[in-house]
Amino acid sequence: TKTEVFTITEMREPALEKDNTDKKTRIFEQYVQPCLVELLGTMLFVFVGCSSVIGNVGTTGAIQPAVAHGLALAVLIMMFGQISGGHFNPAVSLCAYLCGGMELLLLVPYILAQMLGGMVGASFAKAVLPPGLYANSAGGALVVLSNDLVTVTLAEIIMTMFLTLVVCMGAINSQTQTPMAPFCIGLTVTANIFAGGMVSGACMNPARAFGPAVVANYWNHHWIYWVGPIGGALLTVTFVRFVLGDRKTRIWL
Amino acid sequence: TKTEVFTITEMREPALEKDNTDKKTRIFEQYVQPCLVELLGTMLFVFVGCSSVIGNVGTTGAIQPAVAHGLALAVLIMMFGQISGGHFNPAVSLCAYLCGGMELLLLVPYILAQMLGGMVGASFAKAVLPPGLYANSAGGALVVLSNDLVTVTLAEIIMTMFLTLVVCMGAINSQTQTPMAPFCIGLTVTANIFAGGMVSGACMNPARAFGPAVVANYWNHHWIYWVGPIGGALLTVTFVRFVLGDRKTRIWL
Amino acid sequence: TKTEVFTITEMREPALEKDNTDKKTRIFEQYVQPCLVELLGTMLFVFVGCSSVIGNVGTTGAIQPAVAHGLALAVLIMMFGQISGGHFNPAVSLCAYLCGGMELLLLVPYILAQMLGGMVGASFAKAVLPPGLYANSAGGALVVLSNDLVTVTLAEIIMTMFLTLVVCMGAINSQTQTPMAPFCIGLTVTANIFAGGMVSGACMNPARAFGPAVVANYWNHHWIYWVGPIGGALLTVTFVRFVLGDRKTRIWL
Amino acid sequence: TKTEVFTITEMREPALEKDNTDKKTRIFEQYVQPCLVELLGTMLFVFVGCSSVIGNVGTTGAIQPAVAHGLALAVLIMMFGQISGGHFNPAVSLCAYLCGGMELLLLVPYILAQMLGGMVGASFAKAVLPPGLYANSAGGALVVLSNDLVTVTLAEIIMTMFLTLVVCMGAINSQTQTPMAPFCIGLTVTANIFAGGMVSGACMNPARAFGPAVVANYWNHHWIYWVGPIGGALLTVTFVRFVLGDRKTRIWL
Ligand SMILES: [Ca+2]
Ligand SMILES: [Ca+2]
Ligand SMILES: [Ca+2]
Ligand SMILES: [Ca+2]
């Protein structure tokens, strides 16, 4: 069927399929464990991300935040991809669902877990980094760096399109799947921060924006970090479903 | 035969070989999809590349552009290599064709798709980055940094020779092929930017030069970014065909 | 049984299982070689780590130490993981034991080997780096950068939790094991140094702290680098044993 | 037998074993091609290495040279390892021979090819980089940065020991061999440059030192870059042959 499942069920232990598995265990492994993993992974990603931004003083450029975000994400997807798919990003979950890489039932719980994980991660960053630096950097929240909001939104759309394309082609689309997908996804984040970090902060992830916005109570232009990433994800879905996907994924030809 | 095909057809879905495949689908998958992938991939590569150059102010050295170009290229080849070979570079397409890694029929369409992709990517960089920075950096176009044009051309030849050697040996020549070739190719770009970025900008790719040259209307010494990369590619072809290739690739011994 | 063994015995040469193996050889391979490998690996890790901190003058930010620690650790685990598991860190050994990835018999010898390796590595850093820089940096010992010791300890707990989670999920837990675990572990160290390096130095490893503390005789708040990493390791054990582990690893459901 | 061969013959095309292979072809593939590959690879490595040092002005720290050397080496070993073993370093060839990873017959030709490659690579760096920068940096030759020559030699010994250990354990010793060895070897160079670059330049490779020494006619303390790396290689041989190697490699127990 069209609605194939990503890495979530594919790599399950064989015993899972059997009827004699305890029902509680099956529910835990299919629903509870993946959601907890999304929460924990997003927490660690946002903790590292916010801390690397808050502490990036006296250095030049975006190298430290760019590399920290990219590596943390790559490692977390490599670790948790087999359990939850390793999204840690509502735009990625939406895109994975629409490209046939995730069950509908998990979509809303994943997004809630990611938003909660973002808040917890941002709280730990606040607890740990020096208050002066925390205040100066809006707690690692995303800050719009241009007056032209259309430009900023466009930047988020393009960069998230790139990111979600790597997710769909590298981890879902069977013709192009690769075990290196986690590194590809993380390193796309690094490259994008070098490309558009000085325009929009290169968020590409509403949960990364939402967590520190809540904790630092910083909401300036927050909508951009939902509209841009979701727009980019929908663009990717269009490309994959009409042009880039394999026969199983394409909805024509 | 000598004219082996790279990754383009090798990894196709098995159904493709069967006669009962719709002819329209077969044409789409063998000609249309690869060209669209070259366009999209070159667009994303040139967008990230130009943006990382335009925004590289207040930092020291070439780390941000070097890493951004390298990672974006590595990831795009990893994603799209199975569909189009993942060239995103006219010098690479020429070299792949001459080393037996690509059909002649696709050569001109690929190069046109890459040039168009470069223009679109450079346009997005112009749309997104602040106009002041855009103007200061010639929109990410390649800028010759020495009066000695022979030196600059030689730098492009040597660096492109290295880059295309990695493509031919890592992705085409069967004795030395490796699934890590996409990362090797991208990281060669990073290393070369550290080596020759301050001489010629370390372009190694006419499409990377052409896109922003059109968009920013900056054509100073533009020919160097065609002559150098093509010269380097031909040098690689000579080495691979006479010395480095396996028995199937070498044209003697 | 619950007490599965990590990579230590799994990848042994087949002959090892046979009875006709010399007993001395068997003891050498199962106990002596792993301990010597932990000593040598920790020595090289601490040598590179301390030297990269001592020599990080005139540069901005933590890029050099962050990348040096991460790459050295990644490479050493890749090389020696098949022999000793590649811990080089008492917190990792404790966590591996408690998650079923290591024999109890080796726990104390490993920790002693790691502490000794840390001392030898820090001595080589002292022998090699210029004395002026050595004195200015406390010989690469971990320096607490905040007056709020609870915060510093919390930072070490969170970061070590992340690091040991990557060890347990990537190298021990069979559902999520990956051959890329060594790189994931090393790159987690790099990301964490960008996140919390300016708070606590981002140690995550009592042997990394102990070696230069002895050699430079610098003991300020040294306990934090035992309490924090061990706390983080115990947190990981709790997560893995109750929530994240596969059926064999989880102690319920 | 003890004298196993590395990657040189192992991965040969099957036809090679057959008697009906042309003798000229066999000699070409077993002796001529590997030596030419060592020459070409060392040339590209030394070109990138010297250029990245010569052009490292106005930046802080060793990031650019460290990353350029490491990535260029990693990529070259990945490409050419199947043909020649991918040494590009006399200390590595010596160590590989003594650990059973290379034929004696090739040892001297390899070292000569590497020295010649270093000279050609350094010449290209001279031809391409601006003369002012070239003169300021001794043409990328290794410069001793301390008056204490024992310390400098010791630094080269320790760092080369680490590097050659990664070669022997990752690419020769069958228990610990890994397809990621080329990346491990390159990234060890990067880590070592961050550790000891400011003491001795972190050469670890007599051919890397010899090439620019000839071209720039800079011979101050040149002997250190032969004695240190060879000392480190011999230390590795001792460790591998007595302690770290698998049963086939160890000469006791
Ligand atoms: Ca279809
Ligand atoms: Ca032939
Ligand atoms: Ca259980
Ligand atoms: Ca033996």
Side-chain angles (χ1 to χ4, degrees):
Chain A
T1 84
K2 275 288 160 203
T3 319
E4 279 242 311
V5 207
F6 191 17
T7 41
I8 299 168
T9 61
E10 237 167 24
M11 320 262 180
R12 281 288 165 199
E13 298 156 73
L16 190 67
E17 317 302 346
K18 288 189 181 160
D19 279 343
N20 60 359
T21 308
D22 186 28
K23 201 185 157 189
K24 245 185 356 192
T25 299
R26 230 164 45 218
I27 289 173
F28 177 79
E29 292 185 350
Q30 289 193 312
Y31 300 104
V32 182
Q33 205 187 32
C35 290
L36 290 174
V37 153
E38 285 293 315
L39 195 161
L40 180 64
T42 313
M43 184 208 98
L44 289 168
F45 173 65
V46 173
F47 166 72
V48 168
C50 287
S51 300
S52 74
V53 169
I54 297 167
N56 193 33
V57 289
T59 73
T60 58
I63 298 170
Q64 298 198 176
V67 176
H69 280 90
L71 295 184
L73 185 58
V75 166
L76 288 164
I77 299 172
M78 195 65 104
M79 290 306 111
F80 294 131
Q82 308 290 36
I83 293 175
S84 75
H87 299 175
F88 316 129
N89 182 341
V92 165
S93 292
L94 178 67
C95 188
Y97 166 64
L98 292 174
C99 286
M102 179 188 174
E103 278 181 69
L104 178 57
L105 195 59
L106 284 169
L107 184 58
V108 171
Y110 266 34
I111 293 175
L112 295 176
Q114 291 156 1
M115 291 170 71
L116 184 57
M119 286 168 58
V120 179
S123 304
F124 281 131
K126 182 175 187 176
V128 157
L129 272 290
L133 298 180
Y134 183 83
N136 284 344
S137 60
L142 272 296
V143 178
V144 166
L145 301 164
S146 156
N147 290 319
D148 183 350
L149 299 188
V150 174
T151 284
V152 176
T153 310
L154 181 63
E156 286 293 324
I157 289 173
I158 299 171
M159 291 187 288
T160 311
M161 190 265 277
F162 190 178
L163 175 65
T164 50
L165 209 56
V166 176
V167 172
C168 287
M169 299 304 281
I172 300 175
N173 188 56
S174 53
Q175 190 193 354
T176 50
Q177 264 182 332
T178 157
M180 297 304 286
F183 281 108
C184 292
I185 296 167
L187 297 175
T188 302
V189 167
T190 299
N192 275 335
I193 295 177
F194 287 137
M198 67 180 318
V199 174
S200 66
C203 178
M204 306 167 270
N205 181 345
R208 169 67 184 78
F210 180 76
V214 171
V215 176
N217 196 26
Y218 180 92
W219 297 98
N220 295 8
H221 309 305
H222 182 71
W223 60 270
I224 284 178
Y225 302 108
W226 287 86
V227 171
I230 289 171
L234 296 177
L235 212 56
T236 287
V237 172
T238 312
F239 285 155
V240 170
R241 285 299 195 186
F242 286 92
V243 178
L244 302 171
D246 51 25
R247 283 186 200 174
K248 217 171 52 199
T249 303
R250 289 200 310 271
I251 60 184
W252 69 319
L253 281 174
Chain B
T1 82
K2 275 287 162 206
T3 319
E4 280 241 311
V5 207
F6 190 15
T7 42
I8 298 168
T9 60
E10 238 168 20
M11 320 261 181
R12 280 288 164 199
E13 298 155 73
L16 190 68
E17 316 303 348
K18 289 189 179 160
D19 279 344
N20 61 358
T21 308
D22 186 29
K23 200 185 160 189
K24 246 185 355 192
T25 300
R26 230 164 44 220
I27 289 173
F28 177 80
E29 292 186 348
Q30 289 192 311
Y31 301 103
V32 182
Q33 205 187 34
C35 290
L36 290 174
V37 153
E38 286 293 315
L39 194 162
L40 180 65
T42 313
M43 185 208 98
L44 289 169
F45 173 65
V46 172
F47 166 72
V48 168
C50 288
S51 299
S52 73
V53 168
I54 297 168
N56 192 34
V57 289
T59 72
T60 57
I63 298 170
Q64 299 197 175
V67 176
H69 280 89
L71 295 184
L73 185 59
V75 165
L76 288 164
I77 299 172
M78 195 65 101
M79 291 305 111
F80 294 131
Q82 308 290 36
I83 293 174
S84 75
H87 299 175
F88 316 129
N89 182 340
V92 165
S93 292
L94 178 67
C95 187
Y97 166 65
L98 293 174
C99 286
M102 180 187 173
E103 278 180 69
L104 177 57
L105 195 59
L106 283 170
L107 184 59
V108 171
Y110 265 34
I111 293 175
L112 295 176
Q114 291 155 2
M115 290 170 72
L116 184 58
M119 286 169 58
V120 179
S123 304
F124 280 130
K126 183 177 187 175
V128 157
L129 272 289
L133 298 180
Y134 183 85
N136 284 344
S137 60
L142 272 295
V143 178
V144 166
L145 300 164
S146 155
N147 290 320
D148 183 349
L149 299 188
V150 174
T151 283
V152 176
T153 310
L154 180 62
E156 286 293 324
I157 289 173
I158 298 171
M159 290 187 289
T160 311
M161 190 266 275
F162 189 178
L163 175 64
T164 49
L165 208 57
V166 176
V167 172
C168 287
M169 299 304 281
I172 299 175
N173 188 56
S174 53
Q175 189 193 354
T176 51
Q177 264 182 333
T178 157
M180 297 303 287
F183 281 108
C184 292
I185 296 167
L187 297 176
T188 303
V189 167
T190 299
N192 275 335
I193 295 177
F194 287 137
M198 67 182 317
V199 174
S200 66
C203 178
M204 304 167 271
N205 181 346
R208 169 67 184 81
F210 180 76
V214 171
V215 176
N217 196 26
Y218 180 92
W219 297 98
N220 296 7
H221 309 305
H222 182 72
W223 61 270
I224 284 178
Y225 302 107
W226 287 86
V227 171
I230 289 171
L234 295 177
L235 212 57
T236 287
V237 172
T238 312
F239 285 154
V240 170
R241 286 298 196 187
F242 285 92
V243 179
L244 302 172
D246 52 25
R247 284 185 199 173
K248 217 173 51 198
T249 304
R250 289 200 311 270
I251 59 185
W252 69 320
L253 281 173
Chain C
T1 83
K2 275 289 159 201
T3 319
E4 280 243 311
V5 207
F6 193 15
T7 41
I8 299 168
T9 60
E10 238 168 21
M11 320 262 180
R12 281 289 167 197
E13 298 156 74
L16 190 68
E17 317 303 347
K18 289 189 180 160
D19 280 343
N20 61 358
T21 309
D22 186 29
K23 199 183 160 190
K24 246 188 351 196
T25 299
R26 230 165 42 219
I27 288 173
F28 177 79
E29 291 186 350
Q30 289 192 312
Y31 301 104
V32 182
Q33 205 187 33
C35 290
L36 291 173
V37 153
E38 286 293 315
L39 194 162
L40 179 66
T42 312
M43 183 208 99
L44 288 169
F45 173 65
V46 173
F47 167 71
V48 167
C50 288
S51 300
S52 74
V53 169
I54 297 168
N56 192 33
V57 289
T59 73
T60 58
I63 298 170
Q64 298 198 177
V67 176
H69 280 90
L71 295 184
L73 185 58
V75 166
L76 288 164
I77 299 172
M78 195 66 102
M79 291 306 111
F80 294 133
Q82 308 290 36
I83 293 175
S84 75
H87 299 176
F88 315 130
N89 181 341
V92 166
S93 292
L94 177 67
C95 188
Y97 166 64
L98 292 174
C99 287
M102 180 188 173
E103 277 181 70
L104 179 57
L105 195 59
L106 284 169
L107 184 59
V108 171
Y110 267 33
I111 293 175
L112 295 176
Q114 291 156 0
M115 291 170 72
L116 183 58
M119 286 169 58
V120 178
S123 303
F124 281 130
K126 182 175 188 175
V128 156
L129 272 290
L133 298 181
Y134 183 84
N136 284 344
S137 60
L142 272 295
V143 177
V144 166
L145 300 164
S146 156
N147 290 320
D148 183 350
L149 298 187
V150 174
T151 285
V152 176
T153 310
L154 180 62
E156 286 293 324
I157 288 173
I158 298 172
M159 291 187 288
T160 311
M161 190 266 276
F162 190 177
L163 175 66
T164 49
L165 208 56
V166 176
V167 172
C168 287
M169 299 303 282
I172 300 174
N173 188 56
S174 53
Q175 189 194 354
T176 51
Q177 264 182 332
T178 158
M180 297 303 287
F183 281 108
C184 292
I185 296 167
L187 297 175
T188 301
V189 167
T190 299
N192 275 334
I193 294 177
F194 286 137
M198 69 182 316
V199 174
S200 65
C203 177
M204 306 166 271
N205 181 344
R208 169 66 184 80
F210 180 76
V214 171
V215 176
N217 196 27
Y218 180 92
W219 296 98
N220 296 8
H221 309 304
H222 182 71
W223 60 269
I224 285 179
Y225 302 107
W226 287 85
V227 171
I230 289 172
L234 296 177
L235 213 55
T236 287
V237 172
T238 312
F239 284 154
V240 170
R241 285 298 195 186
F242 285 93
V243 178
L244 302 171
D246 52 25
R247 283 186 199 173
K248 217 172 52 200
T249 304
R250 288 200 311 272
I251 59 184
W252 69 319
L253 280 174
Chain D
T1 82
K2 275 288 162 204
T3 319
E4 280 243 311
V5 206
F6 191 15
T7 41
I8 298 167
T9 60
E10 238 167 20
M11 321 264 180
R12 280 287 165 200
E13 298 156 75
L16 190 69
E17 317 303 348
K18 290 189 178 160
D19 279 343
N20 61 358
T21 308
D22 184 30
K23 199 183 161 190
K24 245 188 352 196
T25 299
R26 229 166 43 220
I27 289 172
F28 177 79
E29 292 186 349
Q30 289 192 311
Y31 302 104
V32 181
Q33 205 187 34
C35 291
L36 290 173
V37 154
E38 286 293 316
L39 194 161
L40 179 65
T42 312
M43 184 208 98
L44 288 169
F45 172 65
V46 173
F47 167 72
V48 168
C50 288
S51 299
S52 74
V53 168
I54 297 168
N56 193 34
V57 289
T59 74
T60 57
I63 298 170
Q64 299 197 176
V67 176
H69 279 89
L71 295 184
L73 185 60
V75 165
L76 288 164
I77 299 172
M78 195 66 102
M79 291 306 111
F80 294 132
Q82 308 290 36
I83 294 175
S84 75
H87 299 175
F88 316 130
N89 182 340
V92 165
S93 292
L94 177 67
C95 187
Y97 166 64
L98 292 174
C99 287
M102 179 187 174
E103 278 181 71
L104 178 57
L105 195 59
L106 284 169
L107 184 59
V108 171
Y110 266 33
I111 292 175
L112 295 176
Q114 292 155 1
M115 290 170 72
L116 183 58
M119 286 168 59
V120 179
S123 304
F124 280 131
K126 182 176 188 176
V128 157
L129 272 290
L133 298 180
Y134 183 85
N136 284 344
S137 59
L142 272 295
V143 177
V144 166
L145 300 164
S146 156
N147 290 320
D148 183 351
L149 298 187
V150 174
T151 283
V152 176
T153 310
L154 180 63
E156 285 293 325
I157 289 173
I158 298 172
M159 291 187 288
T160 311
M161 190 266 276
F162 189 178
L163 175 65
T164 50
L165 207 57
V166 176
V167 172
C168 287
M169 299 304 280
I172 299 174
N173 188 55
S174 53
Q175 189 193 354
T176 51
Q177 263 181 334
T178 158
M180 297 303 288
F183 281 107
C184 292
I185 296 167
L187 297 176
T188 302
V189 167
T190 299
N192 275 335
I193 294 177
F194 286 137
M198 69 181 315
V199 174
S200 65
C203 178
M204 305 167 270
N205 181 346
R208 169 68 183 79
F210 180 76
V214 171
V215 175
N217 197 26
Y218 181 92
W219 297 97
N220 296 8
H221 309 306
H222 182 71
W223 60 269
I224 284 178
Y225 302 106
W226 287 86
V227 171
I230 289 171
L234 295 178
L235 213 56
T236 287
V237 172
T238 313
F239 284 154
V240 170
R241 285 298 196 188
F242 285 93
V243 178
L244 301 172
D246 52 25
R247 282 184 200 175
K248 218 172 50 199
T249 304
R250 290 200 310 271
I251 58 184
W252 69 318
L253 280 173

